[in-house]
Amino acid sequence: MIDRARIAALRATEEDRFADLHPRSAALAEEARGPLLAGVPMPWMTRWPGRFPLFFDTAAGARLVDVDGIEYVDLCLGDTGAMTGHALPQVTDAIAARAARGITTMLPSADAVWVGEELVRRFGLPSWQLAMSATDANRFVLRFARHLTGRPRVAVMDWCYHGTVDETLAVLDGDAVVARPGALGPQVPVSETTAVVPFNDADALDRRLAVGDVACLLMEPALTNIGIVLPEPGYLDAVREITRRYGVLLVVDETHTLCAGPGGATAAWGLEPDLLVVGKPIGGGVPCAAYGMSAEVAGRLSGPMLGHEIDVAGVGGTLTGNALALAAIRATLSTCLREEDFAVAVPLAERFADGVAGVIADAGLPWHVQRLGCRAEYWFCPPPRDGAAAAAAVDEELEGLLHLWCLNRGVLLTPFHNMALFSPHHTPADVDRHTEAFAEALAALLC
């Protein structure tokens, strides 16, 4: 129903507008092309719309200001990393105080005890360890699972996302396991390390685990990075029953689904994972992550974790669990991501979903809005039930135009898909600002 020529024409106009609005970012982007590969310090930063990267100057609460002095309502929040809001004073104070007293010593700080107890309280798993990122945590957990079970493979969901873990960059091509499009230099063919099953298909999971070579199933309780794909009624219960029946450890990655509540979907939906990974927002923007485990798993790992050669076991890192990260986690979890915070953020996501759905209905488009806790997004199709269907529905031209349209009107969306994330620092007016920009974009597209 959307004229492709119209998309291209509007995109060209918006690109010109973007360039006119951001001369300082353009100059910095030009300077960065020499010393920085791809002109940015991390390649994902090239995913934003616009002819060149947008350079930011300050971020506080739910606002971001770029180097040209333009302010944005930030609905990206660092792709979950700043889900608490930016520049939290209590986290800033804790970081400054800790930095003045030392950061990295290879020794635990007193904050470690508080952090461990809080993670137990929120997620229900009795034993925890720290990591620098959720990617690292997932790597460590997969290694533990292979060690404990003696099985060589891990299982993931088709079109899943668990950071830059080699074994998880896999999808299905028919019945064959192949590298996910875009994956660079896999160390071995992923078919040798990984089993892949479709989300929301318990029968497929049962058939694959019955082979007997899978150590663990690593999954998000709802897919997020291919867009929000929610579990169908009874599916997660079936996953837990099937994994237990075949002696497969269930690992739940809550790094994005923490948006479901203070204890993520695990607490909100009563899940019972053997291991759990969480990262990104728990440190208020400071790089850190954590992984927890059941008492049974912890008991089986206690010997190796106290072994003389644990430093070469492929688990941990010199800066992991440093005092700065622990101080940041304590300051964040003691004041943020609480029930009272979600009581503000979730209704804002509901308002976003209702507003966008109304615009879509008025336009007569067969699109859909999906929500998980304080995260919401829109689709260019009816709601998919698995990752492959979600991937097939991606429309990069249309998505790019809508993102750039909103950015040029002061609303920053996550560059991956059409996702908006809400914090207690957002307001109903922020939500309505996006709804108005979205409505204007559709009106321009359909005129």
Side-chain angles (χ1 to χ4, degrees):
M1 297 178 64
I2 305 295
D3 183 350
R4 292 286 137 178
R6 183 67 176 161
I7 293 175
L10 288 172
R11 179 67 183 259
T13 299
E14 293 300 315
E15 291 280 8
D16 289 342
R17 179 172 179 166
F18 175 84
D20 290 342
L21 286 170
H22 302 102
R24 179 61 180 148
S25 277
L28 287 171
E30 185 62 31
E31 293 175 21
R33 286 197 184 104
L36 296 175
L37 180 65
V40 288
M42 195 269 285
W44 300 357
M45 294 176 181
T46 63
R47 288 291 304 274
W48 294 92
R51 293 176 186 164
F52 45 81
L54 185 73
F55 284 69
F56 97 98
D57 182 30
T58 63
R63 294 288 189 278
L64 183 148
V65 179
D66 70 22
V67 292
D68 288 288
I70 300 172
E71 183 181 84
Y72 302 86
V73 173
D74 186 2
L75 300 183
C76 172
L77 296 178
D79 191 26
T80 307
M83 194 171 84
T84 56
H86 297 289
L88 302 176
Q90 66 273 32
V91 177
T92 301
D93 292 345
I95 290 171
R98 184 66 261 177
R101 292 182 289 129
I103 295 172
T104 297
T105 62
M106 282 284 286
L107 295 169
S109 64
D111 288 332
V113 178
W114 187 95
V115 168
E117 291 175 343
E118 177 64 8
L119 292 169
V120 171
R121 186 189 70 80
R122 283 178 177 246
F123 296 99
L125 292 166
S127 293
W128 289 82
Q129 285 280 285
L130 276 293
M132 288 292 290
S133 69
T135 288
D136 274 350
N138 281 321
R139 285 195 183 104
F140 303 158
V141 165
L142 296 187
R143 191 175 285 270
F144 287 145
R146 288 190 293 260
H147 170 76
L148 291 175
T149 65
R151 298 173 181 173
R153 282 190 172 82
V154 301
V156 298
M157 295 294 158
D158 196 21
W159 293 93
C160 68
Y161 181 76
H162 300 286
T164 57
V165 180
D166 286 330
E167 296 97 319
T168 68
L169 298 174
V171 296
L172 288 173
D173 181 6
D175 293 329
V177 174
V178 300
R180 181 167 179 158
L184 297 176
Q187 57 183 338
V188 297
V190 285
S191 59
E192 296 180 14
T193 64
T194 309
V196 180
V197 294
F199 192 72
N200 275 325
D201 191 337
D203 290 339
L205 178 65
D206 195 323
R207 289 192 299 272
R208 185 58 189 83
L209 297 192
V211 175
D213 60 348
V214 170
C216 69
L217 170 64
L218 172 60
M219 68 178 294
E220 294 183 292
L223 299 185
T224 59
N225 257 55
I226 195 63
I228 298 171
V229 180
L230 296 174
E232 295 176 345
Y235 172 66
L236 294 177
D237 289 337
V239 168
R240 181 65 280 194
E241 187 279 322
I242 293 165
T243 51
R244 280 184 172 142
R245 177 153 40 90
Y246 291 112
V248 173
L249 295 171
L250 175 60
V251 184
V252 169
D253 185 346
E254 290 271 19
T255 299
H256 282 258
T257 55
L258 188 59
C259 62
T266 295
W269 299 344
L271 308 181
E272 298 179 356
D274 298 300
L275 299 113
L276 182 148
V277 170
V278 65
K280 291 194 178 181
I282 65 171
V286 172
C288 55
Y291 55 100
M293 61 199 75
S294 68
E296 192 270 338
V297 170
R300 294 171 65 191
L301 285 175
S302 60
M305 291 294 278
L306 294 173
H308 179 68
E309 296 180 332
I310 190 60
D311 57 315
V312 294
V315 174
T318 304
L319 300 180
T320 300
N322 68 75
L324 188 72
L326 286 162
I329 296 173
R330 181 171 185 171
T332 302
L333 295 186
S334 62
T335 61
C336 303
L337 302 173
R338 304 161 300 175
E339 293 287 356
E340 54 263 46
D341 300 308
F342 283 95
V344 176
V346 170
L348 293 172
E350 293 171 341
R351 186 184 183 98
F352 176 96
D354 291 343
V356 171
V359 173
I360 290 171
D362 290 343
L365 292 168
W367 297 359
H368 177 74
V369 186
Q370 195 75 287
R371 184 184 65 81
L372 175 62
C374 60
R375 179 192 299 262
E377 67 183 21
Y378 54 88
W379 292 86
F380 304 130
C381 65
R385 72 181 299 266
D386 59 36
V394 172
D395 186 329
E396 293 184 359
E397 292 178 349
L398 183 54
E399 182 178 298
L401 169 62
L402 292 172
H403 285 214
L404 184 57
W405 184 284
C406 289
L407 188 152
N408 281 342
R409 287 149 185 84
V411 179
L412 204 65
L413 292 166
T414 302
F416 316 110
H417 314 291
N418 306 307
M419 193 272 285
L421 187 64
F422 294 91
S423 76
H425 303 278
H426 287 100
T427 67
D430 295 335
V431 177
D432 296 344
R433 185 171 176 183
H434 170 268
T435 303
E436 292 164 6
F438 181 75
E440 291 170 1
L442 286 198
L445 272 169
L446 301 173
C447 69

